[in-house]
Amino acid sequence: METTEKNGTFFRFEELRIYAKATAYSQWLLQTMHLPVNEAQKNLFDAFCHSSYDIALNIAEGSSRNKSQFEHYLKISKTAIRECYVYTTIATNLGMLTAEEGAQSGEYLMEMTRMLGALIISLTRNRRSADDEREDSPADESTDMLDNIDTDF
């Protein structure tokens, strides 16, 4: 029984660079952030980690949906990025990240925001093209949504 698809992976979202970047960010955060010393810092640490996981989780979840829903989940990922940016500021102010680590976190987050924005634009453009083609052709062929987008995002 074959468990992989034509491109060698069962979960197509793994082909997206933004997914790899999001999981790398979560790993970086866990390795970099200083451990909490009190309950308030523990709550911040937990919320920060949760938001960092949400970036990749929403990319994965949305990839199994239609293009319009995928765009929605990518926008939720962008919301998680903004949350992480706020947590970065607070963690830096509390000394849980150094100023340099806070800046590095901000760079990661800005890059992911740009990548998600480009992917959303690509999906919107491809969805509109598909809608135009559907109007021209009565046959509606079902294809995997990720087949028609550039996985460089």
Side-chain angles (χ1 to χ4, degrees), residues 81-96:
I81 289 172
R82 288 188 293 274
E83 290 173 359
C84 287
Y85 194 84
V86 172
Y87 291 136
T88 295
T89 302
I90 296 169
T92 302
N93 291 342
L94 291 175
M96 296 176 72

Side-chain angles (χ1 to χ4, degrees), residues 33-63:
M33 198 162 165
H34 303 276
L35 293 177
V37 295
N38 58 43
E39 192 64 27
Q41 286 185 358
K42 182 187 180 320
N43 291 338
L44 173 65
F45 183 84
D46 291 345
F48 197 167
C49 289
H50 179 79
S51 289
S52 76
Y53 304 149
D54 277 349
I55 301 167
L57 289 169
N58 280 294
I59 293 165
E61 177 64 26
S63 72

Side-chain angles (χ1 to χ4, degrees), residues 127-140:
R127 185 169 39 92
R128 287 184 186 144
S129 294
D131 289 346
D132 292 344
E133 287 174 17
R134 228 177 275 125
E135 288 176 9
D136 295 339
S137 170
D140 183 23

